[in-house]
Amino acid sequence: MLSRRQFVASPLAAGVALASQAVTAQSARRTIVDAQVHLWKAESEDWKWVPGMKPQMPEPFTIEKLVPLMDQAGVDRVVVVPPSWPGDRNDYALEAARRHPDRFAVMGRIPLKNPQAAALLPKWREQPGMLGVRLTFLGPAQAWLTDGTPDWFWPAAEKADLPVMFLTDGQNVRLADVAERHPRLQLIADHMGIGGNTPREGRIADAVSQTVSLAKYPNVSVKLSAAPNYSSEAYPFRDFTPHIKRLFDAYGPKRCYWGSDMTNGFDKATYKQRITHFSEELSFLSEQDKDWVMGKSILERLRWG
């Protein structure tokens, strides 16, 4: 057995040191893209919120707040997902993309109850910074999954070649028929399939199982986002490691995306911790896997060059 002094001087030690340096260098070069952050400004006469809806934080989460947080944490780009409380409007998110085109892009909201909105989709990506659409099926909108409300949207979005992010209250299995009938429609399951009352009702494992069941469709991918928000533990949120690994094993690195969704659980973890949770704490991810999951895959899926 080598002594400590002999090991330090040995070729093996030199190899270990070089490997460690290579991993560090790769991490330093990694492009980090947050697949979801909400931005909103204060309510005003010309920027009213939907009556009865409340924001995730008492203070607005503005462009001016987010950019320094990105710089401090080492986040290169963010996909801005407009929140629901200002209604189906995308103007502030598009303002972020206009002001910082190299750092922000948008998955916009659309009035799903208005089939005439289909006329907007062919030119949807002509809005500077707009990459696709985000749909939310929570609260009363859960009924839309079964009442036919979005039936007009799926073929129109497929024809327009628009990627679609969707969030359900642990009801992702409802999208299986959509994925099968519209194979060219890129569907992105938000937050591992967890949303709304899913955590409070103890349905996290079932929600993840439903999302895993969609992996057989090549046009479905998943955001491994918001784990700190739903975890019952402190950093590094080890109760969620099995869920993340199960989804990663089902979808693979090119169909999984890291995302913070930080405003939904701002005090649960710092921005840096949300990154190191993936870059340092998930041992089943190789360095190459991390390159894809933490940036390359979402850029490729959304065609954000």
Side-chain angles (χ1 to χ4, degrees):
M1 181 178 295
L2 292 174
S3 69
R4 183 179 183 279
R5 179 176 297 178
Q6 288 171 324
F7 176 79
V8 169
S10 71
L12 176 59
V16 170
L18 287 173
S20 178
Q21 291 170 9
V23 168
T24 301
Q26 183 171 3
S27 299
R29 291 194 304 270
R30 182 173 296 133
T31 297
I32 298 180
V33 183
D34 191 337
Q36 175 158 335
V37 175
H38 294 309
L39 289 177
W40 69 95
K41 54 186 179 178
E43 186 178 25
S44 63
E45 283 300 316
D46 63 346
W47 218 73
K48 288 288 188 180
W49 296 348
V50 176
M53 294 197 72
K54 295 182 179 181
Q56 293 172 339
M57 297 168 58
E59 297 294 327
F61 196 72
T62 61
I63 300 165
E64 289 75 18
K65 288 184 179 180
L66 178 56
V67 171
L69 290 175
M70 292 170 62
D71 291 340
Q72 293 164 13
V75 175
D76 298 288
R77 303 190 194 184
V78 161
V79 178
V80 180
V81 176
S84 55
W85 45 94
D88 292 322
R89 60 189 305 166
N90 303 311
D91 50 341
Y92 189 57
L94 289 170
E95 178 184 335
R98 184 175 65 253
R99 288 168 56 183
H100 301 277
D102 58 332
R103 307 200 75 178
F104 295 128
V106 182
M107 293 293 284
R109 298 180 63 86
I110 196 165
L112 202 56
K113 294 189 72 174
N114 180 12
Q116 294 182 349
L120 301 173
L121 296 181
K123 296 186 177 181
W124 191 254
R125 284 182 67 115
E126 292 182 13
Q127 303 172 84
M130 187 68 82
L131 298 180
V133 178
R134 202 281 183 121
L135 304 179
T136 306
F137 299 101
L138 300 178
Q142 289 184 80
W144 297 352
L145 289 167
T146 54
D147 69 5
T149 293
D151 286 357
W152 66 269
F153 173 79
W154 308 120
E158 182 180 35
K159 184 177 180 180
D161 195 22
L162 293 174
V164 177
M165 292 178 173
F166 66 92
L167 178 63
T168 76
D169 189 355
Q171 300 293 323
N172 277 1
V173 72
R174 302 284 188 184
L175 275 295
D177 185 55
V178 175
E180 187 168 359
R181 286 188 291 110
H182 302 283
R184 293 184 296 106
L185 177 62
Q186 291 297 329
L187 295 167
I188 301 170
D190 284 357
H191 307 339
M192 299 176 276
I194 304 165
N197 294 319
T198 308
R200 288 189 291 273
E201 295 174 357
R203 294 189 291 114
I204 288 176
D206 175 64
V208 170
S209 293
Q210 291 190 36
T211 306
V212 167
S213 74
L214 298 181
K216 65 183 178 182
Y217 301 107
N219 56 324
V220 179
S221 52
V222 61
K223 282 155 69 173
L224 305 178
S225 47
N229 306 346
Y230 299 129
S231 173
S232 60
E233 298 182 7
Y235 181 88
F237 322 112
R238 298 200 188 283
D239 58 334
F240 258 75
T241 301
H243 301 312
I244 296 170
K245 186 178 188 303
R246 190 176 176 204
L247 287 161
F248 177 80
D249 289 344
Y251 283 89
K254 295 186 180 181
R255 289 199 290 157
C256 291
Y257 323 113
W258 169 77
S260 73
D261 191 35
M262 70 168 83
T263 59
N264 195 32
F266 193 78
D267 294 334
K268 280 296 294 285
T270 66
Y271 208 178
K272 190 66 176 178
Q273 284 177 320
R274 293 169 188 269
I275 294 168
T276 58
H277 177 214
F278 272 66
S279 65
E280 299 178 11
E281 301 294 343
L282 301 180
S283 60
F284 58 87
L285 295 178
S286 70
E287 292 302 310
Q288 187 175 44
D289 291 337
K290 295 170 191 175
D291 289 343
W292 283 102
V293 172
M294 301 189 72
K296 289 173 64 177
S297 58
I298 192 67
L299 293 177
E300 183 176 279
R301 186 70 53 174
L302 299 182
R303 306 192 305 278
W304 184 6

